[in-house]
Amino acid sequence: MNRKQKKMLIRIVIAAVLLAAVKLFKIGGWAGTALYAASYITIGYDILRKAFRGIINHQVFDENFLMAVATVGAIALAIYEKTGDFAEAVSVMLFYQIGELFQSYAVGKSRRNIAALMDIRPDYANIERDGRLEQVDPDQIPAGSVIVVQPGEKVPIDGQVIEGASSLDTAALTGESQPRDVKDGDDIISGCINLTGVLKVRTTKAFGESTVSKILELMENSSSHKSRSENFISRFARAYTPAVCCSALALAILPPVINLMMGMPGGWEIWVYRALTFLVISCPCALVISIPLSFFAGLGGAGKEGVLIKGSNYLEALSQTSIVVFDKTGTLTRGVFEVSGIHHNTIPEEKLIELAALAECASSHPISKSLQRAYGREIERDRVTGIQEISGSGVIARVDGAEVAAGNGKLMKRLGVDYMDCHSSGTIIHIAIDGKYAGHVVISDVEKPTSRAAIAELKKIGVKKTVMLTGDMGRVAEHMAKKLGVDQYRSDLLPADKVAEVEKLLAETGRKGKLAFVGDGINDAPVLSRADIGIAMGAMGSDAAIEAADIVLMDDDPMKISKAIKISRKCIGIVYQNIAFALGVKALCLILGALGIANMWAAIFADVGVMVLAVLNAIRALYVHKL
Ligand code: ADP
Ligand code: MG
């Protein structure tokens, strides 16, 4: 509890004790009235003040106003009827404040929970100067610097390990509790915690471009993407409170006036009391609080699982997913190709790989990375000029003065080079030197260990269709599609064709469901933004992917897709439960209140009770890991 909450608790206790004293010892007369007044002021002064300010600022209709009018009205009525019993007004205020306290505690708790999950912001980075470590603001460190990460410290900036070995705790990023081992040569991302060894890391990005900064930015902006349910609630509350106040006024005035006109006694006290009860019942707190809180908790719960969702609107869309479209390379497959053959080469194999690797030196495509790995030596970038990457086809560059083209059949056709087809299964990289065919390299990729299970799981939870899109050849695509059990595949697609395919699928789904596209952002960022929900494999994917996507999976595991859908459904389920429950109880109480069956006591119990239950229900969204 924070100080404000403690203060409120003390006020509640004092007011409750005073109230109990009057009631228990049946203190009457002036002494009783004074105690009631003390109790009422203690518990309600801030509400009265806020209501008064609201009136002055012409923002009348809020719950403070409702509470102030209802309780002051009840007091006035008691004075008028000379009962000397103000317990009702005091208790209404008391219960209202208990509810508020509970709610602020719950909200604070889930905020802290999320803050803890997202406690990945590094405070400093160590750099070595004259043999001593110096702590520097990570913002000050340019890409390409060498930093030192000691055991127990957070990795502050994305980079590559150049010395040392250790295991990393990635739980805050991926939800994965198993530590991940790294050694020199491995890429590491910021936000992990270094567990065992000292690591020297050469940073590959500036702090602002690093994973941590991206994630924090994403989390901070997520609240600005409101879901339809949330927008509905805020519009609802804006119209609702004035409507309720007008109804209450009508309830207080119309029946007595009608009675009088018909020559009967007016019964003002009864109807004014019913109108006041009506006001208390109508307080919309449960809805106004629990809906955003449910979404908030849902985003937090997903974050804990390594699924970063950029806003509650995407959470809502995700729950309606009916088609999931996958990119192949890097999404369903590991994107780590091994060279499995070199055929029809007119120059020695090593030379062919060398030229290909050099030509690929600027590409971030998994194929390029794999060729560079196969080459295995330091890339001398100054040997390469005039690099051109043709997205979805390959690269053309000048290496040692010769024009080297490496890519698929489409690239060869484009250059007018005759190429040899290959019958081995695998992705074929044709290479042409100075416009002459120089052979091809067969590389093959393997599926991720969980891909097949992930697709089966999607089916199981009711996703209607799974589709794989790829720029690779038909044969490779077919083989992979069969192996993984996807319903459909489309091959030989250029990045623009992928967008067109997704548009076709979007037209097919119509408004019945949502289309989610999962990719790594390499050659597919436009598709990520075109789909209803763009899901990026974040840890491996490019910055472009994190920008373009609506949802980022921190650890490239396709199983996380069905998990994310389940989380979203659970969260939306909770939202609907709360809407139905709160509105239902409200409607019932309003009718009972208007009919005079429910009194103000019942009203405040219903209001606070519904709110507490709705908030508790909302908090459940935070604990989604058991799904
Ligand atoms: P996917 O749809 O499987 O993710 P891409 O659209 O990224 O594949 O690429 C499609 C095809 O284009 C690859 O299978 C490859 O043949 C060729 N290609 C793309 N980029 C490169 C590159 N940098 N080097 C060589 N070939 C490439
Ligand atoms: Mg791709």
Side-chain angles (χ1 to χ4, degrees), residues 499-557:
V499 178
E501 284 298 331
V502 162
E503 272 168 358
K504 261 190 245 163
L505 289 166
L506 277 170
E508 265 173 49
T509 7
R511 289 212 244 137
K512 272 176 279 157
K514 300 277 185 217
L515 181 148
F517 176 82
V518 197
D520 58 358
I522 293 172
N523 291 350
D524 54 21
V527 199
L528 280 172
S529 29
R530 184 65 192 83
D532 291 322
I533 311 142
I535 304 178
M537 299 277 175
M540 166 155 171
S542 58
D543 293 348
I546 299 186
E547 293 293 308
D550 308 315
I551 296 175
V552 179
L553 305 181
M554 283 315 302
D555 65 348
D556 296 354
D557 179 357

Side-chain angles (χ1 to χ4, degrees), residues 327-330 337 360 363-368 371 389-395 406-410 427-429 469-473 493-495 498 520 522-524:
D327 186 43
K328 179 177 76 81
T329 309
F337 295 84
E360 293 274 7
S363 166
S364 59
H365 199 280
I367 290 181
S368 141
L371 285 173
E389 177 154 10
I390 296 130
S391 181
S393 294
V395 294
N408 55 15
K410 262 180 262 164
T427 301
I428 316 293
I429 305 300
L469 303 183
T470 180
D472 213 341
M473 294 183 298
L493 302 172
L494 289 174
K498 290 187 185 172
D520 58 358
I522 293 172
N523 291 350
D524 54 21

